[in-house]
């Protein structure tokens, strides 16, 4: 019995390097996997720092802070943070990663007002690309935009303008075939997005460098005569919310107009025609229960 317990301890707590491979690299101490062990999540046990301390509770071995969790900063720069999470399960570390991606507020393009787009990039694709460009602005300086507010104010909205027109280079060689020499402004980059202050933002953020995080993000390619003229509104939000809205719109587009009404007694054709309506006005049950089949 003691030998079996020792083998379990090795599997649970040791990575073993063998001649032809590495063993015990995966997390196996999840609840119910090992009889006699209590591996359920407990914040108090997680916060304890003494390694290897265990106790018996009603005949069940309870682990107490055996990993000595810590975070080591490897590299910290203006736009990069690299760190190691030591003494934690991969599942919990992945949860931290998903929280950082989905629940940390950022400023991003929410609406794109396209006044002119004669490029080969469709308006919807152009707006989607603009929405993926990270904006260098501290979200703590802004408020969340109120529901139903389409205009925005200086306390909740940043405005950018993208206006680029491609022309021929009069100084280009006649026998040249290089677009870089033949055309001017034939590549539209994120550096062409210019911040347009709203209200008193010029006074409030005059010393702040508000711009896209990266200047070399390619948005579109143009040819002589083609032009892009877009005004963008950036608002404070979290990726989780933006993904939920995008998913809902995709489901609305996929509704079949010839199907019968759903659980909210709304006909699919009506919902499909209201896809441009603000999401807060649509009943969520109809969208949640949607099935493409």
């Amino acid at each position: 019995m003691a030998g079996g317990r020792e083998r379990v301890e090795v599997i649970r707590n040791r990575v073993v390097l063998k001649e032809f491979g590495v063993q015990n690299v995966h997390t196996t101490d999840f609840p119910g996997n090992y009889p006699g062990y209590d591996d359920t999540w407990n914040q108090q046990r997680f916060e304890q720092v003494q390694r290897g301390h265990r106790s018996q509770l009603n005949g069940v071995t309870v682990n107490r802070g055996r990993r000595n969790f810590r975070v080591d900063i490897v590299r910290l720069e203006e736009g990069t943070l690299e760190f190691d999470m030591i003494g934690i399960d991969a599942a919990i570390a992945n949860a931290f990663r998903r929280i950082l991606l989905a629940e940390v507020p950022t400023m991003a393009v929410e609406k794109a007002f396209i006044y002119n787009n004669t490029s080969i990039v469709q308006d919807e694709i152009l707006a989607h690309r603009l929405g993926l460009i990270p904006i260098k602005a501290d979200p703590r300086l802004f408020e969340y935009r109120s529901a139903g507010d389409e205009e925005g104010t200086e306390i909740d909205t940043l405005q950018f303008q993208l206006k680029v027109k491609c022309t021929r280079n009069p100084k280009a060689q006649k026998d040249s075939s290089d677009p870089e020499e033949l055309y001017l402004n034939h590549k539209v980059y994120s550096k062409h997005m210019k911040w347009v202050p709203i209200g008193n933002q010029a006074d409030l953020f005059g010393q702040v460098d508000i711009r896209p995080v990266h200047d070399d993000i390619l948005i579109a390619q143009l040819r002589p005569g083609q032009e892009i003229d877009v005004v963008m509104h950036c608002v404070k939000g979290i990726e989780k919310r933006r993904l939920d809205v995008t998913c809902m719109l995709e489901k609305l587009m996929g509704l079949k107009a010839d199907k019968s009404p759903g659980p909210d007694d709304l006909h699919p054709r009506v919902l499909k025609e209201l896809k441009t309506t603000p999401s807060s006005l649509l009943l969520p049950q109809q969208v949640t229960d949607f099935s493409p089949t």
Side-chain angles (χ1 to χ4, degrees), residues 6-31:
E6 292 178 358
R7 287 194 296 269
V8 170
E9 289 296 324
V10 172
I11 295 175
R12 289 167 56 88
N13 303 316
R14 294 290 182 267
V15 175
V16 181
L17 179 61
K18 294 289 187 177
E19 182 180 1
F20 298 105
V22 183
Q23 296 180 350
N24 309 335
V25 295
H26 300 292
T27 300
T28 59
D29 53 352
F30 47 84

Side-chain angles (χ1 to χ4, degrees), residues 82-291:
E82 180 181 348
F83 58 90
D84 292 334
M85 303 179 68
I86 301 172
I88 193 172
D89 290 342
I92 304 300
N94 186 56
F96 279 103
R97 181 187 67 85
R98 295 177 68 91
I99 290 172
L100 291 174
L101 289 174
E103 299 186 23
V104 175
T106 58
M107 300 295 292
V109 175
E110 182 75 10
K111 292 185 179 296
F113 302 94
I114 302 178
Y115 294 98
N116 191 10
N117 177 25
T118 55
S119 70
I120 62 173
V121 182
Q122 297 179 350
D123 292 351
E124 295 82 359
I125 304 300
L126 177 61
H128 182 262
R129 290 184 179 180
L130 294 173
L132 295 176
I133 297 176
I135 303 300
K136 185 179 179 181
D138 191 346
R140 294 172 296 182
L141 302 176
F142 300 89
E143 301 292 338
Y144 287 99
R145 178 181 285 190
S146 302
D149 185 4
E150 297 294 332
E151 297 297 329
T153 62
E154 63 270 13
I155 65 173
D156 57 27
T157 303
L158 285 174
Q159 180 171 293
F160 283 83
Q161 184 176 22
L162 176 64
K163 189 171 184 179
V164 180
K165 183 176 182 179
C166 178
T167 59
R168 293 187 180 276
N169 183 9
K171 299 181 180 180
Q173 299 293 330
K174 294 183 178 180
D175 57 348
S176 176
S177 60
D178 184 7
E180 297 289 343
E181 183 179 356
L182 289 174
Y183 313 127
L184 300 176
N185 296 326
H186 76 103
K187 288 185 178 181
V188 182
Y189 289 101
S190 53
K191 65 181 180 181
H192 294 118
M193 295 173 55
K194 303 302 180 182
W195 172 46
V196 181
I198 302 175
N200 63 344
Q201 286 184 348
D203 298 329
L204 293 175
F205 310 123
Q207 305 298 324
V208 181
D209 186 16
I210 297 180
R211 57 177 177 81
V213 175
H214 306 287
D215 293 333
D216 57 350
I217 300 177
L218 182 62
I219 300 174
Q221 296 192 53
L222 306 177
R223 287 298 179 263
Q226 295 181 346
E227 181 180 3
I228 291 180
D229 186 3
V230 184
V231 173
M232 295 150 281
H233 283 182
C234 302
V235 300
K236 179 180 179 178
I238 58 176
E239 188 65 21
K240 180 180 179 181
R241 170 60 181 166
R242 295 186 178 109
L243 290 176
D244 289 344
V245 173
T246 302
C247 181
M248 185 194 71
L249 292 177
E250 291 178 353
K251 290 184 176 183
L252 288 177
M253 291 296 295
L255 289 172
K256 297 182 179 180
D258 57 346
K259 295 294 183 179
S260 58
D264 295 317
D265 294 329
L266 292 176
H267 201 282
R269 180 177 179 181
V270 176
L271 285 174
K272 193 168 185 179
E273 292 177 352
L274 292 176
K275 60 181 180 296
T276 57
T277 303
S279 57
S280 59
L281 301 181
L282 297 176
L283 296 178
Q285 185 179 0
Q286 176 82 12
V287 179
T288 304
D289 294 343
F290 161 71
S291 175

